[in-house]
Amino acid sequence: MATYITKQQKAVLACIEAHRDRCVSAAELADELRSRGERVGIATVYRQLEKLERHGHVHKVLTEEGAYYQYCAHDALGNCFLLKCEGCGRIVHVDCGQLIPLYRHLEQEHHFFINPRRTMLYGRCAVCREAEK
Amino acid sequence: MATYITKQQKAVLACIEAHRDRCVSAAELADELRSRGERVGIATVYRQLEKLERHGHVHKVLTEEGAYYQYCAHDALGNCFLLKCEGCGRIVHVDCGQLIPLYRHLEQEHHFFINPRRTMLYGRCAVCREAEK
DNA sequence: TTGCGTGCAAAGGTTTTGCATGGCA
DNA sequence: TGCCATGCAAAACCTTTGCACGCAA
């Protein structure tokens, strides 16, 4: 089964790669592609994102507002994880080795192997926390 | 604004409390209530779960298959978190203090305050990991 | 009796799917 | 030319909402 490389494929990848610093939804991607003049159907966007996720090129994170996707550079793996603020809804990408000992503990004591691409921690960012006081 | 205590309210709470060891979906709860002879509409189940979550009596976790809910005993807070196996789909509830130092680090260095009720880590359980080798 | 909570059905939103068509190799 | 990928629209799904009615207080 050969697989073709289409211009829609390249467009979706380029678009999500351009937003490597933040999470975007499938609808946002489709809108942006349209505004650039690239005509890509929403179904194709979903199909591409699914393939990219399967190959490890993007994170997929589930939120109250639907799924969000973020480009994932290979070399950032392992030490990166995602924080979502329940106040303002923003998703913060943190690169920090502090998770490593936890992962090791979970493997050794609880026999569970974390997938950092998928893992998202919920909480409140400093701004929202302050505003609520 | 007075608030009434209805028999549907009690039934939903009792049902999710009976499953305190695992996560259940709104549809599962509704089915189970129906099979017990309690007639509770799905909309009411959602409304109750939303209220219970707001009051901190249940966790709500987002999955590929929709939202899942789990009863949350107050004294289990802080040290508990959820692991979801991407292989078999099971959600494991882990009670372990290992997360505390991580939470403290995130607060002090990244100014982010984790909500353990909402946080779920993704990965693979020992069984699925073994099966894939 | 008052008005909150419920049930039903409809609406809403996101994601998936079927099928004819287009375009890559 | 062969056949995979796309686009469109419909379907599927989960969740929320509007409104009249039932029931707790």
Side-chain angles (χ1 to χ4, degrees):
Chain A
M1 180 188 102
T3 92
Y4 300 162
I5 296 174
T6 64
K7 65 172 193 286
Q8 290 92 335
Q9 237 168 78
K10 289 186 227 165
V12 170
L13 180 57
C15 193
I16 195 165
E17 202 173 345
H19 293 290
R20 55 170 65 212
D21 55 320
R22 68 183 194 85
C23 286
V24 291
S25 67
E28 280 179 80
L29 279 177
D31 283 350
E32 185 151 334
L33 287 165
R34 197 173 311 122
S35 76
R36 288 188 194 178
E38 318 252 23
R39 213 148 294 272
V40 183
I42 189 71
T44 297
V45 172
Y46 276 108
R47 285 187 275 233
Q48 285 307 321
L49 287 172
E50 199 261 321
K51 191 186 298 181
L52 287 170
E53 192 213 355
R54 198 149 26 77
H55 290 22
H57 299 310
V58 302
H59 296 274
K60 177 181 186 179
V61 292
L62 304 170
T63 79
E64 215 68 58
E65 300 79 37
Y68 278 76
Y69 301 83
Q70 180 159 16
Y71 182 80
C72 172
H74 270 92
D75 55 356
L77 261 187
N79 283 12
C80 74
F81 58 99
L82 302 162
L83 302 174
K84 165 150 180 158
C85 177
E86 294 179 298
C88 57
R90 247 180 314 205
I91 293 171
V92 187
H93 204 156
V94 172
D95 203 334
C96 166
Q98 203 71 15
L99 276 184
I100 305 299
L102 173 66
Y103 290 170
R104 194 168 309 139
H105 170 81
L106 289 173
E107 283 183 21
Q108 291 174 356
E109 299 302 321
H110 301 278
H111 313 292
F112 198 91
F113 301 82
I114 295 295
N115 172 6
R117 294 174 200 241
R118 204 55 178 297
T119 292
M120 184 157 65
L121 308 177
Y122 286 83
R124 300 202 108 78
C125 70
V127 177
C128 288
R129 173 97 169 190
E130 204 52 46
E132 280 162 13
K133 273 186 183 160
Chain B
M1 178 186 103
T3 90
Y4 300 163
I5 297 174
T6 64
K7 65 172 191 289
Q8 290 91 335
Q9 238 167 79
K10 288 186 229 166
V12 169
L13 181 57
C15 193
I16 195 165
E17 203 173 345
H19 292 290
R20 55 170 64 216
D21 55 321
R22 68 181 193 90
C23 286
V24 291
S25 67
E28 280 179 80
L29 280 177
D31 284 350
E32 185 151 334
L33 287 166
R34 197 172 311 123
S35 77
R36 288 188 196 177
E38 319 252 24
R39 210 148 296 271
V40 183
I42 188 70
T44 296
V45 173
Y46 276 110
R47 284 188 276 237
Q48 285 307 320
L49 287 173
E50 198 262 322
K51 192 187 294 180
L52 287 169
E53 193 212 354
R54 198 149 25 80
H55 291 19
H57 298 310
V58 302
H59 296 273
K60 177 182 185 179
V61 291
L62 303 171
T63 80
E64 215 68 57
E65 300 79 39
Y68 278 75
Y69 301 83
Q70 180 159 15
Y71 183 81
C72 172
H74 270 91
D75 56 357
L77 261 186
N79 284 11
C80 73
F81 58 98
L82 303 162
L83 302 174
K84 166 149 181 158
C85 177
E86 295 179 299
C88 58
R90 246 179 316 205
I91 292 171
V92 187
H93 203 157
V94 172
D95 204 331
C96 166
Q98 202 71 14
L99 276 183
I100 306 298
L102 173 67
Y103 291 169
R104 194 168 309 139
H105 171 81
L106 288 173
E107 283 183 20
Q108 292 174 355
E109 300 302 321
H110 300 279
H111 313 293
F112 199 92
F113 302 82
I114 295 296
N115 173 5
R117 295 175 199 240
R118 206 55 176 297
T119 292
M120 185 156 64
L121 307 178
Y122 286 84
R124 300 201 108 78
C125 70
V127 177
C128 288
R129 173 99 169 186
E130 204 52 47
E132 282 163 13
K133 273 184 185 160

